[in-house]
Amino acid sequence: MVFAAAASVSHALSLQLQLSSSFLYGESISSSNLNSATFAVPSLTFPPFTLTGKQSCTPKKLVVHAKRVSGLEEAMRIKRERELQSTTKFRRRPPLRRGRVSPRLSVPDHIPKPPYLSSPLLPELSPEYQIHDSEGIAKMRAACELAARVLENAGKLVRPSVTTNEIDKAVHQMIIEAGAYPSPLGYGGFPKSVCTSVNECMCHGIPDSRQLQDGDIINIDVTVYLNGYHGDTSKTFLCGNVNDVLKRLVKVTEECLERGIAICKDGASFKKIGKRISEHAEKYGYGVVERFVGHGVGKVFHSEPIILHNRNEKPGCMVEGQTFTIEPILTMGSTESITWPDNWTTLTADGSPAAQFEHTILITRTGADILTKC
């Protein structure tokens, strides 16, 4: 589940968080004959000469160093220019329109429910890190494994003409059949069991009667509450024949998540996550959304630490046994957003496409375990 952070990305970082709907959700080039090389121009010696007055110059040597760009580097530069050109030629799809939202689905009485259902208000962010003992880790693994399985099965439903409401019903049924509760349902009044964010929807899309169209992309954000623990994950899926420009956005967004996870381990700084994600996104000209952030997850749906996906100076380090989400959102245009009157569905301000991926991870002494990986 994604958190919305209205914040300056400065060192002090006063954050006001809002959670939205889904929950808080080639060319091949051979380089065998391409070698780079450096060379030095032979030293050039100039004879002594005298300036007017009492100043004189002794002989000087001028050494010029240069680097020859390899064929591979040049080919990659040309390829990148072509990719950027194709991005500028991207044809926008018709803007999203709200469909009909059906009534919320019921959950059997015997299934344990999270405490926030007692109030329609959005819960405050818990200030405590969620650090687990061996029993807690085992329960986190179980919840996250279920969330991952549900997400993968939900992705198999993605095809033209299927409605996001049908995806919600299927996700709901899979979760309750496993004896778990769909965490988004009723969270701060959210009316559905999953978040479905299509095309320019950054996150927190509410499932409705809209049919998916050939060429759409859709993020499905699944969170389950099992045995007192939340498992949270999301993925952007391709619907039918998606053009190469959107495929690249989706691919790079997933790569950004992987790079953010790769630097995680006990003692690592949280700010390194945003640095790695931003570096990779910028190579392709994509924007990294600042408003929505990752978060601690476990017995509580959303807690500290806040995980910023953009460059930042937020203090703090990771701790062994800790669980949190990383869930970057990349856009092809503006990173500014607008939210529909439902107070959940959030779109890019300029209508440009957005993609998101999310995992719940467990910090270990030497790295991070991805708990929501199938």
Side-chain angles (χ1 to χ4, degrees), residues 42-348:
S43 299
L44 303 177
T45 302
F46 297 92
F49 61 97
T50 303
L51 298 177
T52 58
K54 298 181 180 180
Q55 296 177 327
S56 64
C57 290
T58 56
K60 301 290 183 181
K61 288 187 178 181
L62 175 63
V63 179
V64 180
H65 295 278
K67 181 178 181 181
R68 185 174 65 208
V69 177
S70 74
L72 176 58
E73 290 173 327
E74 178 65 9
M76 293 302 293
R77 182 189 67 78
I78 294 171
K79 181 183 178 185
R80 178 67 191 129
E81 287 182 354
R82 289 174 179 170
E83 289 175 343
L84 290 175
Q85 289 172 2
S86 67
T87 298
T88 60
K89 296 176 182 177
F90 175 76
R91 295 184 61 183
R92 295 185 186 276
R93 304 178 67 78
L96 284 178
R97 294 287 183 264
R98 165 60 70 218
R100 182 181 61 84
V101 178
S102 61
R104 60 184 289 175
L105 300 171
S106 62
V107 177
D109 291 339
H110 71 274
I111 292 178
K113 300 173 179 62
Y116 50 75
L117 295 184
S118 61
S119 171
L121 301 178
L122 194 67
E124 293 185 1
L125 181 75
S126 171
E128 300 297 327
Y129 285 9
Q130 300 194 61
I131 302 171
H132 311 279
D133 57 18
S134 57
E135 180 182 357
I137 290 174
K139 290 183 176 181
M140 275 300 295
R141 289 189 186 279
C144 290
E145 287 171 4
L146 174 59
R149 291 198 306 272
V150 171
L151 179 62
E152 288 305 304
N153 286 327
K156 295 174 183 177
L157 302 176
V158 173
R159 62 180 182 276
S161 80
V162 168
T163 68
T164 51
N165 192 57
E166 290 175 295
I167 294 174
D168 177 73
K169 286 182 178 179
V171 166
H172 182 89
Q173 192 63 31
M174 285 186 279
I175 293 173
I176 64 173
E177 285 180 355
Y181 184 90
S183 302
L185 186 62
Y187 184 90
F190 190 74
K192 291 293 182 177
S193 299
V194 69
C195 293
T196 52
S197 303
V198 180
N199 296 337
E200 70 265 33
C201 185
M202 287 182 174
C203 59
H204 305 156
I206 297 176
D208 60 20
S209 61
R210 180 190 182 276
Q211 292 183 325
L212 294 176
Q213 306 297 310
D214 187 54
D216 282 348
I217 58 174
I218 174 174
N219 176 271
I220 301 177
D221 192 339
V222 172
T223 311
V224 306
Y225 182 68
L226 179 66
N227 296 325
Y229 289 77
H230 297 274
D232 192 1
T233 185
S234 86
K235 180 177 181 179
T236 298
F237 296 92
L238 309 178
C239 181
N241 299 304
V242 175
N243 66 53
D244 289 342
V245 175
L246 284 179
K247 284 182 180 178
R248 183 167 59 250
L249 171 66
V250 172
K251 179 176 181 290
V252 172
T253 305
E254 185 171 22
E255 291 171 350
C256 282
L257 172 60
E258 293 168 350
R259 280 162 173 73
I261 294 173
I263 62 92
C264 293
K265 65 177 181 178
D266 181 47
S269 300
F270 290 117
K271 65 184 180 182
K272 289 184 177 180
I273 297 173
K275 181 175 184 292
R276 284 290 183 90
I277 289 172
S278 296
E279 287 174 345
H280 192 60
E282 289 163 2
K283 291 178 184 177
Y284 296 85
Y286 298 137
V288 179
V289 174
E290 298 182 13
R291 177 182 173 188
F292 297 101
V293 298
H295 53 88
V297 64
K299 288 184 176 181
V300 179
F301 197 170
H302 298 94
S303 76
E304 289 284 359
I306 291 304
I307 305 299
L308 301 175
H309 304 115
N310 55 291
R311 284 188 174 85
N312 67 90
E313 293 300 325
K314 187 178 188 299
C317 294
M318 303 168 204
V319 179
E320 185 176 1
Q322 179 180 37
T323 51
F324 57 83
T325 71
I326 302 177
E327 41 191 309
I329 302 173
L330 269 58
T331 72
M332 287 176 54
S334 173
T335 58
E336 299 301 311
S337 61
I338 56 173
T339 301
W340 282 358
D342 61 27
N343 293 323
W344 289 106
T345 308
T346 302
L347 315 180
T348 56

